[in-house]
Amino acid sequence: MSASRLDIAVIGAGMGGLATAAALRKAGHEVTVYEQARRFTRLGAGIQIGCNAMHVLRGLGLETALRAETFYPRSWNNRDAATGEVLFDMMFGPEAEAQYGAPYLLAHRGDLHAALASAVPNEIVRLEHRLVGLEPQGDGRVRLAFENDTVATADAVIGADGVHSVVRSALFGEDEPRFTGRIAYRTVYPAARLDGYPISNCTKWWGPDRHIVIYPVKPDRSEIYFVTSQPEPGFEIESWSTTGDVKVLRAAFDGFHPEVQRVLAAAPEVHKRPLVDRDPLPQWVDGPVALLGDACHPMTPYMAQGAAMAIEDAAILSRCLAGTDRDAVERALRRYQQTRQERTARVQLTSRQNRWGKGVTDVDWVYGYNAWEAPLASL
Ligand code: FAD
């Protein structure tokens, strides 16, 4: 192995893990991705890909594929749920693309995940490998243990294993994320179910204590997605089911604008999940192990930036580890943490307020960031 070619284990093949694997390979490292799932499933949900995430995805060679599969909105319009009054029309389309240097796209989650998976060779992804433990070895490498009784070693480990990260617990102890007291219902369905009723943009409908965001996820608007946020006072984790009741959902949005009623009336089924986040963590790195994405900075979805932050992390991490040998891994990972912490904390805390787009909003600091060019922290 050459001095600057590290053997890196990435735990988790979500958006963050796959982006990280692709970026680290681009930087010349050997990567193995360990994922607990048996196969990738196409969850019925949409995802907004901010211009900042698109800079990274372009650098991974995915822009053409993503443009072909996604919807290109004119704006993210914010409207009062009852009156329809426009509160803030956050402009995207060619205007934002010219300003920020990359497009804003609306995707099916499965399409973004598939694009990222296409940037990583199948043979480096080990499915059905649920990490259950990790420990440093005497030679500076890290030993990984999996539920299927296999073990592996690596020069560095990246915990991209989501909000309930086993890597984070192993490094910093067990603790639960903060439940916001709210849940999200979401689904994707064929626009044909709307009988010609046009959904031609991205709209967030703001009610007094709840909201719904609706947008197409295909270039020809053939699939429609919505996601809500609403209080769930009787929430009990023990009886939690991920399938929602469409009738309960429709009743919860009674009184919202007719467009919302129409979209909910046509929904065949919905999934629901609790909304959680964390306060910014003081530490993401311990020796040759680092956290990335939701494992270290889970956030509410109100800025549509959780995956974007994980994807930005991937680019910055790969820049910090470029040309790094084993002796310099810890320093490179600390530099990654130091470069990323302030920005991700700001997004976490801004998102938590749920005011993004409710009135005139300064959005340049989010969408104008290019992780391939942003300055790295000096140590
Ligand atoms: P995850 O996507 O959670 O991936 C973690 C992976 O690790 C999974 O594949 C999991 O199976 C695997 N794993 C877990 N534990 C182990 C283990 N022990 N061993 C091996 N593998 C393991 N973000 C946006 O940018 N735009 C949006 O529009 C947007 N909308 C959202 C809407 C909702 C309702 C929600 C809840 C979130 C939204 N987000 C959005 C946020 C986004 O979904 C997350 O921030 C993003 O998926 C985080 O990616 P990740 O790779 O860090 O974690």
Short mmCIF file of all heavy atoms in Angstrom, two decimals, residues 11-17 34-37 46-48 109 129-131 160-163 166 184 186 215 225 227 273 275 292-295 301 304-308 310, ligand 1:
data_model
loop_
_atom_site.label_atom_id
_atom_site.label_comp_id
_atom_site.label_asym_id
_atom_site.label_seq_id
_atom_site.Cartn_x
_atom_site.Cartn_y
_atom_site.Cartn_z
N ILE A 11 -19.39 3.07 7.73
CA ILE A 11 -20.51 2.32 8.30
C ILE A 11 -21.80 3.01 7.89
O ILE A 11 -22.05 4.15 8.28
CB ILE A 11 -20.42 2.25 9.85
CG1 ILE A 11 -19.01 1.83 10.30
CG2 ILE A 11 -21.49 1.31 10.40
CD1 ILE A 11 -18.54 0.48 9.79
N GLY A 12 -22.63 2.30 7.11
CA GLY A 12 -23.90 2.87 6.66
C GLY A 12 -23.84 3.26 5.19
O GLY A 12 -22.93 3.98 4.78
N ALA A 13 -24.80 2.76 4.42
CA ALA A 13 -24.87 3.10 2.99
C ALA A 13 -26.09 3.95 2.71
O ALA A 13 -26.86 3.71 1.77
CB ALA A 13 -24.88 1.82 2.15
N GLY A 14 -26.33 4.95 3.57
CA GLY A 14 -27.37 5.95 3.29
C GLY A 14 -26.77 7.02 2.38
O GLY A 14 -25.73 6.82 1.75
N MET A 15 -27.44 8.16 2.32
CA MET A 15 -26.96 9.25 1.44
C MET A 15 -25.55 9.66 1.83
O MET A 15 -24.69 9.87 0.98
CB MET A 15 -27.86 10.49 1.57
CG MET A 15 -29.33 10.24 1.41
SD MET A 15 -29.73 9.69 -0.25
CE MET A 15 -31.51 9.60 -0.08
N GLY A 16 -25.33 9.79 3.15
CA GLY A 16 -24.02 10.25 3.62
C GLY A 16 -22.93 9.22 3.37
O GLY A 16 -21.84 9.55 2.90
N GLY A 17 -23.21 7.96 3.69
CA GLY A 17 -22.20 6.91 3.55
C GLY A 17 -21.79 6.71 2.10
O GLY A 17 -20.60 6.57 1.79
N TYR A 34 -20.08 -0.82 4.94
CA TYR A 34 -20.82 -1.87 5.65
C TYR A 34 -22.22 -1.37 5.96
O TYR A 34 -22.38 -0.33 6.61
CB TYR A 34 -20.09 -2.23 6.96
CG TYR A 34 -18.70 -2.77 6.72
CD1 TYR A 34 -17.59 -1.93 6.80
CD2 TYR A 34 -18.50 -4.10 6.39
CE1 TYR A 34 -16.30 -2.41 6.58
CE2 TYR A 34 -17.22 -4.60 6.16
CZ TYR A 34 -16.13 -3.75 6.26
OH TYR A 34 -14.86 -4.23 6.02
N GLU A 35 -23.22 -2.09 5.48
CA GLU A 35 -24.62 -1.65 5.62
C GLU A 35 -25.43 -2.78 6.25
O GLU A 35 -25.35 -3.92 5.83
CB GLU A 35 -25.17 -1.27 4.23
CG GLU A 35 -26.68 -1.16 4.13
CD GLU A 35 -27.31 -0.12 5.06
OE1 GLU A 35 -26.80 1.01 5.14
OE2 GLU A 35 -28.32 -0.46 5.71
N GLN A 36 -26.26 -2.41 7.24
CA GLN A 36 -27.03 -3.44 7.94
C GLN A 36 -28.14 -4.06 7.09
O GLN A 36 -28.49 -5.23 7.28
CB GLN A 36 -27.62 -2.86 9.22
CG GLN A 36 -28.67 -1.77 8.99
CD GLN A 36 -29.20 -1.17 10.28
OE1 GLN A 36 -28.76 -1.52 11.36
NE2 GLN A 36 -30.14 -0.26 10.17
N ALA A 37 -28.70 -3.29 6.16
CA ALA A 37 -29.86 -3.78 5.39
C ALA A 37 -29.45 -4.92 4.45
O ALA A 37 -28.31 -5.00 4.00
CB ALA A 37 -30.46 -2.64 4.58
N GLY A 46 -39.92 11.89 -0.95
CA GLY A 46 -39.17 12.82 -1.80
C GLY A 46 -38.02 13.42 -1.03
O GLY A 46 -37.89 13.22 0.19
N ILE A 47 -37.18 14.15 -1.74
CA ILE A 47 -36.08 14.84 -1.08
C ILE A 47 -35.69 16.06 -1.92
O ILE A 47 -35.62 15.98 -3.14
CB ILE A 47 -34.88 13.89 -0.85
CG1 ILE A 47 -33.84 14.52 0.05
CG2 ILE A 47 -34.26 13.42 -2.16
CD1 ILE A 47 -32.97 13.53 0.79
N GLN A 48 -35.51 17.18 -1.24
CA GLN A 48 -35.07 18.39 -1.93
C GLN A 48 -33.55 18.37 -1.96
O GLN A 48 -32.92 18.15 -0.92
CB GLN A 48 -35.55 19.63 -1.19
CG GLN A 48 -37.04 19.61 -0.91
CD GLN A 48 -37.59 20.98 -0.54
OE1 GLN A 48 -37.12 22.01 -1.03
NE2 GLN A 48 -38.59 21.01 0.31
N ARG A 109 -36.50 10.02 -3.26
CA ARG A 109 -35.36 9.59 -2.47
C ARG A 109 -34.64 8.41 -3.10
O ARG A 109 -33.42 8.31 -3.09
CB ARG A 109 -35.83 9.12 -1.10
CG ARG A 109 -35.41 9.99 0.00
CD ARG A 109 -36.15 9.60 1.26
NE ARG A 109 -36.19 10.80 2.04
CZ ARG A 109 -35.25 11.15 2.91
NH1 ARG A 109 -34.24 10.37 3.17
NH2 ARG A 109 -35.32 12.29 3.54
N HIS A 129 -24.39 -6.36 6.99
CA HIS A 129 -23.29 -6.21 7.94
C HIS A 129 -23.68 -5.12 8.94
O HIS A 129 -23.43 -3.94 8.69
CB HIS A 129 -21.99 -5.82 7.23
CG HIS A 129 -21.23 -6.99 6.69
ND1 HIS A 129 -21.71 -7.75 5.64
CD2 HIS A 129 -20.05 -7.54 7.07
CE1 HIS A 129 -20.85 -8.72 5.39
NE2 HIS A 129 -19.83 -8.62 6.25
N ARG A 130 -24.32 -5.55 10.02
CA ARG A 130 -24.70 -4.58 11.05
C ARG A 130 -23.57 -4.48 12.05
O ARG A 130 -23.23 -5.46 12.73
CB ARG A 130 -25.99 -5.03 11.75
CG ARG A 130 -26.40 -4.11 12.87
CD ARG A 130 -27.73 -4.50 13.50
NE ARG A 130 -27.80 -3.96 14.84
CZ ARG A 130 -27.92 -2.67 15.14
NH1 ARG A 130 -28.02 -1.78 14.18
NH2 ARG A 130 -27.95 -2.27 16.39
N LEU A 131 -22.98 -3.27 12.15
CA LEU A 131 -21.88 -3.08 13.10
C LEU A 131 -22.42 -3.21 14.53
O LEU A 131 -23.44 -2.61 14.87
CB LEU A 131 -21.28 -1.68 12.93
CG LEU A 131 -20.07 -1.42 13.81
CD1 LEU A 131 -18.81 -1.99 13.16
CD2 LEU A 131 -19.88 0.05 14.11
N ALA A 160 -21.32 6.66 9.39
CA ALA A 160 -22.41 7.33 8.66
C ALA A 160 -23.66 6.49 8.87
O ALA A 160 -24.41 6.21 7.94
CB ALA A 160 -22.05 7.44 7.18
N ASP A 161 -23.87 6.07 10.12
CA ASP A 161 -24.92 5.09 10.42
C ASP A 161 -26.17 5.72 11.03
O ASP A 161 -26.90 5.08 11.77
CB ASP A 161 -24.37 3.94 11.29
CG ASP A 161 -23.61 4.40 12.53
OD1 ASP A 161 -23.25 5.59 12.59
OD2 ASP A 161 -23.39 3.57 13.43
N GLY A 162 -26.42 6.98 10.68
CA GLY A 162 -27.72 7.57 10.95
C GLY A 162 -27.95 8.01 12.39
O GLY A 162 -27.06 7.98 13.24
N VAL A 163 -29.19 8.42 12.65
CA VAL A 163 -29.51 9.11 13.91
C VAL A 163 -29.31 8.20 15.14
O VAL A 163 -29.00 8.70 16.23
CB VAL A 163 -30.93 9.72 13.83
CG1 VAL A 163 -32.00 8.65 13.74
CG2 VAL A 163 -31.19 10.64 15.00
N VAL A 166 -24.57 3.52 16.01
CA VAL A 166 -23.84 2.62 16.91
C VAL A 166 -22.41 3.15 17.11
O VAL A 166 -21.83 3.03 18.19
CB VAL A 166 -23.81 1.20 16.29
CG1 VAL A 166 -22.83 0.29 17.00
CG2 VAL A 166 -25.20 0.59 16.30
N ALA A 184 -44.10 13.27 11.20
CA ALA A 184 -44.25 13.59 9.77
C ALA A 184 -44.98 12.44 9.09
O ALA A 184 -44.66 11.27 9.32
CB ALA A 184 -42.87 13.76 9.14
N ARG A 186 -45.73 11.07 5.24
CA ARG A 186 -45.25 11.34 3.88
C ARG A 186 -45.59 10.18 2.95
O ARG A 186 -45.73 9.04 3.39
CB ARG A 186 -43.75 11.64 3.86
CG ARG A 186 -42.89 10.58 4.47
CD ARG A 186 -41.42 11.00 4.46
NE ARG A 186 -40.62 10.02 5.14
CZ ARG A 186 -39.31 10.03 5.22
NH1 ARG A 186 -38.62 11.00 4.64
NH2 ARG A 186 -38.65 9.09 5.85
N TYR A 215 -44.70 18.62 -3.51
CA TYR A 215 -43.96 18.91 -4.75
C TYR A 215 -43.89 17.68 -5.66
O TYR A 215 -43.97 16.55 -5.19
CB TYR A 215 -42.57 19.47 -4.47
CG TYR A 215 -41.62 18.68 -3.58
CD1 TYR A 215 -40.86 17.62 -4.08
CD2 TYR A 215 -41.42 19.05 -2.25
CE1 TYR A 215 -39.96 16.95 -3.27
CE2 TYR A 215 -40.52 18.38 -1.43
CZ TYR A 215 -39.79 17.33 -1.95
OH TYR A 215 -38.88 16.68 -1.15
N TYR A 225 -45.25 14.18 -4.26
CA TYR A 225 -44.82 13.86 -2.89
C TYR A 225 -45.39 14.89 -1.94
O TYR A 225 -45.53 16.06 -2.31
CB TYR A 225 -43.30 13.91 -2.83
CG TYR A 225 -42.68 13.90 -1.45
CD1 TYR A 225 -42.78 12.80 -0.61
CD2 TYR A 225 -41.95 15.01 -0.98
CE1 TYR A 225 -42.18 12.78 0.63
CE2 TYR A 225 -41.34 14.99 0.27
CZ TYR A 225 -41.45 13.87 1.07
OH TYR A 225 -40.86 13.85 2.31
N VAL A 227 -45.05 15.91 2.47
CA VAL A 227 -44.55 15.61 3.81
C VAL A 227 -45.15 16.63 4.77
O VAL A 227 -45.25 17.80 4.44
CB VAL A 227 -43.00 15.63 3.86
CG1 VAL A 227 -42.43 16.96 3.40
CG2 VAL A 227 -42.47 15.27 5.24
N ARG A 273 -43.45 9.05 10.75
CA ARG A 273 -42.26 8.85 11.59
C ARG A 273 -42.12 10.01 12.55
O ARG A 273 -42.53 11.13 12.25
CB ARG A 273 -41.00 8.69 10.75
CG ARG A 273 -40.68 9.86 9.85
CD ARG A 273 -39.37 9.66 9.13
NE ARG A 273 -38.24 9.69 10.03
CZ ARG A 273 -37.03 9.26 9.73
NH1 ARG A 273 -36.79 8.73 8.56
NH2 ARG A 273 -36.04 9.37 10.60
N LEU A 275 -40.34 13.04 14.49
CA LEU A 275 -39.30 14.00 14.11
C LEU A 275 -38.38 14.22 15.30
O LEU A 275 -38.84 14.60 16.39
CB LEU A 275 -39.94 15.30 13.64
CG LEU A 275 -40.72 15.15 12.33
CD1 LEU A 275 -41.44 16.44 11.96
CD2 LEU A 275 -39.80 14.71 11.18
N LEU A 292 -20.40 11.21 10.75
CA LEU A 292 -20.77 12.01 9.58
C LEU A 292 -22.30 11.95 9.39
O LEU A 292 -22.92 10.93 9.67
CB LEU A 292 -20.04 11.42 8.36
CG LEU A 292 -20.26 12.06 7.00
CD1 LEU A 292 -18.94 12.07 6.21
CD2 LEU A 292 -21.34 11.38 6.20
N GLY A 293 -22.88 13.04 8.92
CA GLY A 293 -24.31 13.06 8.61
C GLY A 293 -25.17 13.00 9.87
O GLY A 293 -24.81 13.54 10.92
N ASP A 294 -26.30 12.31 9.78
CA ASP A 294 -27.22 12.25 10.91
C ASP A 294 -26.59 11.61 12.15
O ASP A 294 -27.09 11.79 13.26
CB ASP A 294 -28.48 11.44 10.53
CG ASP A 294 -29.52 12.29 9.81
OD1 ASP A 294 -29.20 13.43 9.43
OD2 ASP A 294 -30.65 11.80 9.62
N ALA A 295 -25.55 10.85 11.99
CA ALA A 295 -24.89 10.25 13.16
C ALA A 295 -24.39 11.34 14.10
O ALA A 295 -24.37 11.15 15.32
CB ALA A 295 -23.73 9.36 12.71
N PRO A 301 -36.53 18.39 9.56
CA PRO A 301 -36.45 18.52 8.09
C PRO A 301 -36.88 19.89 7.56
O PRO A 301 -37.07 20.04 6.36
CB PRO A 301 -37.41 17.43 7.61
CG PRO A 301 -38.35 17.18 8.71
CD PRO A 301 -37.65 17.53 9.99
N ALA A 304 -34.92 21.27 4.82
CA ALA A 304 -34.61 20.27 3.78
C ALA A 304 -33.10 20.19 3.55
O ALA A 304 -32.64 20.20 2.40
CB ALA A 304 -35.37 20.58 2.49
N GLN A 305 -32.36 20.12 4.64
CA GLN A 305 -30.89 20.19 4.52
C GLN A 305 -30.15 19.03 5.20
O GLN A 305 -28.93 19.03 5.23
CB GLN A 305 -30.39 21.52 5.09
CG GLN A 305 -30.52 22.67 4.12
CD GLN A 305 -29.53 22.57 2.96
OE1 GLN A 305 -28.38 22.23 3.14
NE2 GLN A 305 -29.99 22.86 1.75
N GLY A 306 -30.86 18.05 5.77
CA GLY A 306 -30.17 16.98 6.50
C GLY A 306 -29.25 16.17 5.61
O GLY A 306 -28.06 15.97 5.91
N ALA A 307 -29.77 15.70 4.49
CA ALA A 307 -28.94 14.92 3.56
C ALA A 307 -27.90 15.82 2.91
O ALA A 307 -26.76 15.40 2.68
CB ALA A 307 -29.82 14.27 2.50
N ALA A 308 -28.30 17.06 2.64
CA ALA A 308 -27.35 18.00 2.02
C ALA A 308 -26.13 18.20 2.92
O ALA A 308 -24.99 18.25 2.44
CB ALA A 308 -28.04 19.34 1.76
N ALA A 310 -24.99 16.01 5.10
CA ALA A 310 -24.20 14.76 5.07
C ALA A 310 -23.36 14.72 3.79
O ALA A 310 -22.20 14.30 3.81
CB ALA A 310 -25.15 13.56 5.13
P1 FAD B 1 -29.26 7.65 6.99
O1 FAD B 1 -29.92 8.07 5.73
O2 FAD B 1 -30.12 7.37 8.18
O3 FAD B 1 -28.40 6.36 6.64
C1 FAD B 1 -27.80 5.57 7.64
C2 FAD B 1 -27.51 4.19 7.06
O4 FAD B 1 -26.77 3.45 8.01
C3 FAD B 1 -28.77 3.40 6.77
O5 FAD B 1 -28.67 2.81 5.49
C4 FAD B 1 -28.81 2.35 7.89
O6 FAD B 1 -29.45 1.15 7.50
C5 FAD B 1 -27.32 2.16 8.13
N1 FAD B 1 -27.00 1.68 9.48
C6 FAD B 1 -27.51 2.12 10.66
N2 FAD B 1 -26.95 1.47 11.69
C7 FAD B 1 -26.05 0.61 11.15
C8 FAD B 1 -25.14 -0.33 11.73
N3 FAD B 1 -25.04 -0.52 13.05
N4 FAD B 1 -24.33 -1.06 10.89
C9 FAD B 1 -24.41 -0.90 9.53
N5 FAD B 1 -25.27 -0.02 8.95
C10 FAD B 1 -26.07 0.73 9.75
N6 FAD B 1 -32.68 16.13 3.83
C11 FAD B 1 -32.47 16.88 2.71
O7 FAD B 1 -31.30 17.20 2.38
N7 FAD B 1 -33.54 17.30 1.94
C12 FAD B 1 -34.83 16.98 2.25
O8 FAD B 1 -35.77 17.36 1.52
C13 FAD B 1 -35.08 16.20 3.43
N8 FAD B 1 -36.34 15.86 3.79
C14 FAD B 1 -36.54 15.11 4.94
C15 FAD B 1 -37.87 14.79 5.31
C16 FAD B 1 -38.09 14.04 6.48
C17 FAD B 1 -39.49 13.76 6.90
C18 FAD B 1 -36.99 13.61 7.25
C19 FAD B 1 -37.22 12.83 8.50
C20 FAD B 1 -35.68 13.93 6.87
C21 FAD B 1 -35.45 14.69 5.72
N9 FAD B 1 -34.15 15.02 5.32
C22 FAD B 1 -33.94 15.78 4.20
C23 FAD B 1 -32.99 14.59 6.12
C24 FAD B 1 -32.32 13.36 5.52
O9 FAD B 1 -33.25 12.33 5.29
C25 FAD B 1 -31.25 12.83 6.47
O10 FAD B 1 -30.51 13.89 7.01
C26 FAD B 1 -30.29 11.93 5.69
O11 FAD B 1 -30.97 10.78 5.22
C27 FAD B 1 -29.10 11.51 6.58
O12 FAD B 1 -28.27 10.65 5.85
P2 FAD B 1 -27.26 9.69 6.61
O13 FAD B 1 -26.57 8.94 5.52
O14 FAD B 1 -26.47 10.46 7.58
O15 FAD B 1 -28.18 8.72 7.47
#
